[in-house]
Amino acid sequence: MKPSVVAVVVSHDESEFLARTLAAVKAQTRSVDRVILVDTSTENKNVDLANAAGLTNILKLDSKTPLNQSLHFATQNLVDVDWLWILHDDSAPEVNALAELLRAVELSPSVAVAGPKLVDWNDSRVVNQLGLTLTPLGDLFSIVSGELDQSQHDDVDDVLAVGTAAVLVRTDVWRELGGLDANAPAYAADFDFSIRARLAGHRVIVVPQARVAHASLSMRGKRERRWLGTSPKAALRRAAIHLRFAYSPIWLALGFWILLPLLGVIRALGRLSAKRPDCIVGELTAAAWGFFTMPKRLRSRALIAKTSKIRFSKLRSLRATWQQVRSADRAALEREQSEATLAAFERGEFEVEEKSTALGFVASGALWVTAALALLSFSFWPSGIAATGGGLLPLSQSWLELFARAGASFQPIGLGYYAPSDPFVWVLTALGSFTFWAPSLALAVILFLAKSIAFAGAWRVVSLFTEKNYVRILAALIFALWPALNVSLQEGRIASVIAQISLPWFVFVVSRAAGIGKNNFSTQTWSWVAASGLLLFVIGASSPNLIPILLVGLAFVVSTRIRKVGYLVWIPLPLAAVFSPTIVYYLVYLFKPMALLADPGLPQASEKLAVWEFLIGGQPHGFSLPLVGQISSWILVPALLLAGLALLGKRWGVAFVLWVAGTLALSSAWFVSRLEFAAVGVGSSARATDFVNGSPAALLTAYGLIIALLVALALNQITKATKVVTWLLVALTILPSTALVATAKSDLEYGDSRVVPSIVAAEAAGGSKLKTLVINPESNSDGSIQFGAEIVSGDGVQLEDVSLSYRFALSNLKSERADEYEAVARLVADLASANGTELTAALQETGIGYVLVPDQSSPIAGQLAISLDSIKELESVGATNYGRLWHVREPNQDLLNANGQQPSLWSITKVIQLLVLLGFVLLALPTTNQRRRVSGDSQIFVEAGEEN
């Protein structure tokens, strides 16, 4: 007897897809007995279309009706029907699909559910789905996805599950199981129904000969968001979570529920390391959804238990093996990389690397130049753990203490105050982690390798413009030997040095992310974006006055690479996350917007240069020659002339843009050098001035990188007298610059990382929270004496303690907390005058355990020492390497025994900043498989086609 079949077509708005599906159903060689259309569209187009096709069974439901309810309404009154054929509006069967499905179930009476081979809507040669299963860890897995159909899977039979698109279901089994589970989310309902049929003792098969074109609109995000209740990626994760809750042993399900929030965070981090930041939100929201909807998952378990006759563990043989998972991941990777390459060809962003004759960094000899530059920097050889002098102080001896200061809202500086810590402290923390056992050593190594790092970065940037080996090396040397960088090294401007050597690397990785330059196509876009974001943060935190010009440059790159805007727009995120509290503090609380342009670290005055000195790269320095004077004033003239000639070549447009950028950098350098910033703050008990001007060094180095690129453009286009021009550049610019570097003398000193006498450091290491009062007497021009005083923590002032916000907020703090600061001023006056005032209470209240006078040679320092020796509350310790030291006889015992309470150095902003930075670090780390997918998220219902 011929079995009766009713086709139930569920539609939602997509009338053009529905028209093809209805036509395909009508054209079947084995016709259906009846077609029921369940329409949840917001308009009546589909109903009109069905009427025109001659359908009489049409159910019009509310647009918010989910799939399980739609099918329930369509099937609740069916009688004398053997099979249900469930079709989506985007699933069009080939003419013999139903006949093949019926033939398969007639041959195997135990089959209750039969699914077809789902092929691509636009290309029937591509198989998107041929049965579904679960991975060993319970993630959703498609047995076949995005493969070219060569009949290689036509023998597939029993499977764990099939999708609901064009599935054939025995009506009695549908009623026995109660249809789709109302508690199961999208995608999980398909799996759940098939698995329940299996557990009830029925077979679930896939029929490869029955082919159905499926557009997978929901998976492609082509339907309204409410159709899935969330994004497609989050829906897949919700489905996996539901199935784990529903089919795991109860003890394992409860453990999974308890750990689900943590697992969500771990999986989100895994997505970052797999270069899939687009999946992070889905992982976190799905974990939260699963945690707070546990009762619904338990109701699903009760429904499963009602009809189950066998245990779920008996279906283990139908689940995917690890080998299948790995093979599917590799296939998805190769397919996506091929599609990304083809897309790049279409955009004109890819050039075949085999045609390039350029040598690599090592083969070109650039590595030897890098080593030679390190040798030239022998005066910066780190002979000790920490470098001091100029703008340098050691870092904390403990990396954990250094980390505690980064991003903190409370600053244990002076009398303590609330303000965002300098963003530069995050940079110091990151660098210190490379030598965590001695954080200061990392800064000493950077000073030694600064020119080598700068050269290596500039070489790569120049390589984007030319393949000529000698041009790349010469142009990169111009940048590495740039005067502003030399002066910054000699003066110990560590923040400026870090920004300058990071600048070419930032330009290079941004070009990679944007696909700019020769042979510059890459499928690792997210890695380059993350590296760009981290380098922009490092540069901005180290030299804030570079931020405006870098953002302008980034905006220009985005405008020329509109197709990459979805990636490039994320680059400023780390910078924004770390700088936002500082911007708000300076603008809203201090009302000092120009303070945002100040360089972090110890305040150092810069020479105010003439315009022509800006053009030659910075202040004159180094040795002098007869008639010539300081050669640093002349050695860049040949390079500047060549840079001007770049405007006359074929690539004059590029040269013009670079000259505009160079002019902007020079103008910004001049402007910053004219700004005045407060200089009194941490580490300023002895000072020469109350204000310092801004440092233009980093901006001048940006100008230097531009000049190096212009020189490369000019040399690249010279065809005549090439050797003459090259040797002139070497003789007049490269060699003199090398001589300047080799003969440069640094004022830096190397030693251990202590900044206070050993007795103070030992007490602080033992947990004491007592502070040290540092007093520096100074003679004024009128003969009067003033005392500069500073209260520092027990282990002294390290580089991370030198706070910009404290310098700019000090006047406000003195006004708001006048009584406390006046008390300290009176204490200093009483100590200096030795007037017999009782000082024990004042010393205990301020938490002072030691008094230090760094100056041991001047007459006024000697007079101050005599006064302090006569104070009965103090006991002389004697002369140390850091000055004369006195110990307080009766210090605050709570602070001495580390019982003093101090506000937490953690804050919400710090947690956010840390998460953003760690996220970008994970995203930037190279992986063996840059396009790796977490196994459960390989495209399940649709072919993989996303570009990384």
Side-chain angles (χ1 to χ4, degrees):
M1 181 178 177
K2 181 180 178 181
S4 57
V5 180
V6 171
V8 180
V9 182
V10 183
S11 66
H12 184 81
D13 285 332
E14 304 295 336
S15 56
E16 65 275 16
F17 291 90
L18 177 62
R20 178 174 166 182
T21 298
L22 292 178
V25 172
K26 187 176 182 180
Q28 290 298 300
T29 57
R30 165 54 166 96
S31 60
V32 298
D33 296 284
R34 196 180 353 156
V35 178
I36 301 175
L37 176 69
V38 185
D39 184 53
T40 60
S41 303
T42 55
E43 299 179 355
N44 292 321
K45 289 183 179 180
N46 287 354
V47 174
D48 296 339
L49 182 64
N51 288 326
L55 297 188
T56 57
N57 294 296
I58 301 175
L59 293 176
K60 180 64 177 174
L61 302 178
D62 185 85
S63 61
K64 297 181 180 179
T65 307
L67 178 62
N68 66 293
Q69 290 186 21
S70 298
L71 293 174
H72 172 73
F73 282 120
T75 60
Q76 61 182 344
N77 296 320
L78 290 180
V79 292
D80 299 328
V81 176
D82 297 312
W83 293 92
L84 292 176
W85 195 22
I86 301 172
L87 294 133
H88 300 174
D89 55 6
D90 60 346
S91 56
E94 293 185 359
V95 292
N96 65 337
L98 179 58
E100 293 292 346
L101 288 171
L102 288 172
R103 189 173 69 85
V105 299
E106 288 169 0
L107 293 174
S108 302
S110 60
V111 173
V113 182
K117 175 191 289 184
L118 297 182
V119 298
D120 186 78
W121 184 266
N122 298 311
D123 187 355
S124 61
R125 298 172 301 173
V126 178
V127 183
N128 286 338
Q129 190 182 123
L130 197 60
L132 301 170
T133 186
L134 298 173
T135 68
L137 293 179
D139 285 316
L140 281 62
F141 185 77
S142 179
I143 298 172
V144 179
S145 179
E147 291 188 25
L148 190 65
D149 189 4
Q150 298 175 320
S151 302
Q152 69 271 37
H153 298 292
D154 281 1
D155 56 347
V156 175
D157 192 6
D158 280 78
V159 292
L160 182 66
V162 293
T164 54
V167 66
L168 188 67
V169 183
R170 218 167 69 200
T171 308
D172 60 331
V173 175
W174 178 265
R175 291 196 180 98
E176 175 191 346
L177 299 177
L180 299 183
D181 183 5
N183 296 307
Y187 303 139
D190 303 55
F191 277 84
D192 175 76
F193 180 79
S194 295
I195 294 173
R196 284 191 289 129
R198 279 279 182 188
L199 297 180
H202 308 290
R203 290 178 62 199
V204 178
I205 67 170
V206 65
V207 183
Q209 292 74 25
R211 296 164 55 87
V212 175
H214 190 210
S216 302
L217 294 177
S218 59
M219 265 303 297
R220 293 181 183 272
K222 300 297 184 181
R223 296 194 190 274
E224 298 173 6
R225 184 180 177 88
R226 64 151 194 84
W227 185 258
L228 295 176
T230 184
S231 67
K233 294 180 177 65
L236 288 175
R237 182 58 187 152
R238 285 186 180 186
I241 290 172
H242 172 84
L243 293 173
R244 280 199 180 96
F245 277 133
Y247 292 100
S248 298
I250 185 62
W251 63 269
L252 188 58
L254 291 176
F256 178 69
W257 174 66
I258 293 171
L259 296 174
L260 190 55
L262 177 61
L263 291 174
V265 173
I266 293 173
R267 284 180 63 95
L269 294 176
R271 295 297 194 178
L272 274 177
S273 63
K275 317 309 174 217
R276 289 307 304 267
D278 53 319
C279 296
I280 294 174
V281 175
E283 291 288 352
L284 297 176
T285 58
W289 169 88
F291 187 79
F292 291 109
T293 61
M294 180 62 168
K296 282 192 174 183
R297 310 312 129 216
L298 295 178
R299 287 198 288 271
S300 291
R301 294 180 66 91
L303 180 63
I304 295 166
K306 287 180 181 179
T307 57
S308 295
K309 297 178 181 178
I310 62 175
R311 297 170 61 88
F312 180 69
S313 58
K314 298 294 184 180
L315 306 180
R316 189 182 304 276
S317 61
L318 295 174
R319 298 179 69 167
T321 64
W322 282 118
Q323 180 59 42
Q324 287 178 302
V325 173
R326 287 191 290 268
S327 298
D329 285 347
R330 283 195 298 269
L333 168 67
E334 293 170 359
R335 183 169 59 254
E336 292 174 12
Q337 288 179 332
S338 298
E339 291 171 355
T341 303
L342 290 174
F345 268 118
E346 293 176 0
R347 295 193 300 265
E349 294 178 2
F350 185 80
E351 296 186 23
V352 182
E353 294 189 10
E354 284 75 13
K355 294 182 179 179
S356 173
T357 59
L359 298 175
F361 187 77
V362 176
S364 67
L367 182 62
W368 294 107
V369 179
T370 304
L373 287 171
L375 292 176
L376 281 176
S377 304
F378 61 88
S379 60
F380 293 97
W381 175 259
S383 55
I385 292 177
T388 57
L392 264 172
L393 289 173
L395 298 176
S396 175
Q397 297 185 50
S398 168
W399 183 84
L400 291 177
E401 293 181 15
L402 181 59
F403 171 74
R405 291 300 309 277
S409 295
F410 177 77
Q411 308 302 318
I413 301 170
L415 301 179
Y417 75 108
Y418 284 92
S421 65
D422 289 349
F424 183 59
V425 181
W426 277 115
V427 178
L428 295 176
T429 303
L431 294 175
S433 65
F434 288 101
T435 56
F436 58 89
W437 63 93
S440 298
L441 180 60
L443 301 185
V445 172
I446 285 176
L447 291 174
F448 173 63
L449 297 178
K451 292 191 177 299
S452 299
I453 297 171
F455 171 81
W459 186 92
R460 284 167 171 80
V461 175
V462 175
S463 296
L464 300 175
F465 292 80
T466 178
E467 293 183 349
K468 294 182 179 179
N469 189 47
Y470 76 95
V471 174
R472 291 185 290 179
I473 291 178
L474 287 178
L477 277 173
I478 289 174
F479 176 78
L481 301 173
W482 195 255
L485 178 57
N486 295 338
V487 174
S488 296
L489 283 169
Q490 293 173 29
E491 295 180 351
R493 296 179 184 266
I494 186 63
S496 181
V497 169
I498 292 172
Q500 292 173 68
I501 64 177
S502 301
L503 182 61
W505 290 99
F506 170 71
V507 175
F508 172 70
V509 295
V510 167
S511 70
R512 282 294 189 183
I516 298 174
K518 294 180 178 296
N519 304 323
N520 200 15
F521 169 71
S522 174
T523 59
Q524 303 176 16
T525 305
W526 277 118
S527 294
W528 295 117
V529 167
S532 301
L534 291 173
L535 284 169
L536 178 60
F537 149 69
V538 168
I539 296 170
S542 304
S543 185
N545 51 52
L546 264 177
I547 294 177
I549 193 171
L550 292 183
L551 292 181
V552 169
L554 185 60
F556 176 77
V557 170
V558 172
S559 68
T560 62
R561 288 292 189 273
I562 294 298
R563 292 181 180 178
K564 291 280 190 177
V565 66
Y567 296 107
L568 302 178
V569 72
W570 295 104
I571 291 177
L573 181 58
L575 182 68
V578 176
F579 257 91
S580 294
T582 299
I583 293 173
V584 172
Y585 185 75
Y586 285 4
L587 296 184
V588 177
Y589 179 71
L590 298 181
F591 306 105
K592 296 178 180 179
M594 290 298 103
L596 292 169
L597 299 178
D599 284 329
L602 287 173
Q604 292 175 271
S606 302
E607 285 192 29
K608 292 186 177 180
L609 308 176
V611 174
W612 69 270
E613 289 176 314
F614 280 103
L615 288 172
I616 62 168
Q619 68 187 60
H621 65 285
F623 59 87
S624 300
L625 294 177
L627 302 178
V628 175
Q630 286 186 302
I631 64 170
S632 64
S633 302
W634 304 98
I635 56 178
L636 285 180
V637 172
L640 294 174
L641 292 176
L642 273 176
L645 290 177
L647 291 169
L648 305 178
K650 294 180 180 179
R651 304 179 72 179
W652 64 269
V654 176
F656 177 77
V657 172
L658 288 174
W659 268 115
V660 170
T663 303
L664 179 61
L666 283 178
S667 302
S668 301
W670 180 88
F671 174 74
V672 168
S673 69
R674 265 56 184 177
L675 294 177
E676 295 288 336
F677 301 108
V680 180
V682 180
S684 301
S685 59
R687 66 184 188 276
T689 179
D690 290 338
F691 296 92
V692 293
N693 63 314
S695 170
L699 286 162
L700 288 174
T701 302
Y703 165 69
L705 180 60
I706 293 169
I707 293 298
L709 295 177
L710 288 166
V711 169
L713 288 177
L715 289 174
N716 199 48
Q717 68 194 19
I718 293 176
T719 56
K720 297 181 179 180
T722 303
K723 290 186 177 180
V724 174
V725 173
T726 301
W727 282 112
L728 283 175
L729 182 64
V730 170
L732 299 179
T733 298
I734 303 300
L735 290 180
S737 297
T738 303
L740 280 177
V741 172
T743 58
K745 294 183 179 180
S746 170
D747 296 331
L748 301 179
E749 298 179 358
Y750 294 87
D752 59 28
S753 57
R754 285 192 300 110
V755 293
V756 292
S758 56
I759 185 174
V760 179
E763 195 170 274
S768 171
K769 300 299 181 182
L770 291 173
K771 298 183 178 181
T772 301
L773 176 63
V774 182
I775 305 177
N776 263 302
E778 299 176 4
S779 297
N780 296 322
S781 57
D782 60 0
S784 61
I785 298 176
Q786 68 178 18
F787 297 93
E790 180 182 4
I791 295 178
V792 301
S793 58
D795 54 354
V797 176
Q798 284 101 7
L799 188 57
E800 70 269 17
D801 297 319
V802 181
S803 171
L804 277 174
S805 62
Y806 185 68
R807 283 161 53 185
F808 298 128
L810 188 56
S811 58
N812 292 33
L813 290 173
K814 287 182 176 179
S815 175
E816 294 171 0
R817 302 166 65 178
D819 293 343
E820 296 176 72
Y821 279 91
E822 287 176 5
V824 174
R826 286 196 300 271
L827 175 61
V828 174
D830 292 337
L831 289 172
S833 61
N835 54 17
T837 303
E838 175 62 40
L839 299 178
T840 300
L843 290 168
Q844 290 183 353
E845 184 177 348
T846 52
I848 294 173
Y850 291 91
V851 177
L852 178 68
V853 179
D855 186 1
Q856 301 185 59
S857 57
S858 67
I860 55 174
Q863 296 173 14
L864 176 60
I866 294 173
S867 298
L868 294 176
D869 282 335
S870 65
I871 302 294
K872 67 180 188 307
E873 289 83 2
L874 300 181
E875 178 183 4
S876 177
V877 176
T880 70
N881 293 335
Y882 303 91
R884 287 287 302 275
L885 183 68
W886 287 262
H887 176 253
V888 176
R889 295 179 186 272
E890 299 180 15
N892 187 311
Q893 292 300 310
D894 289 338
L895 295 178
L896 177 63
N897 298 318
N899 295 322
Q901 298 297 315
Q902 182 172 297
S904 172
L905 295 179
W906 281 93
S907 63
I908 295 176
T909 55
K910 177 170 183 171
V911 172
I912 294 173
Q913 291 171 4
L914 181 60
L915 289 177
V916 171
L917 293 175
L918 284 179
F920 269 68
V921 168
L922 282 175
L923 200 56
L925 288 175
T927 59
T928 303
N929 186 346
Q930 290 286 350
R931 305 295 302 278
R932 179 170 59 88
R933 295 290 186 264
V934 177
S935 60
D937 191 30
S938 57
Q939 294 288 348
I940 296 175
F941 301 98
V942 63
E943 72 167 311
E946 298 172 339
E947 181 183 354
N948 182 13

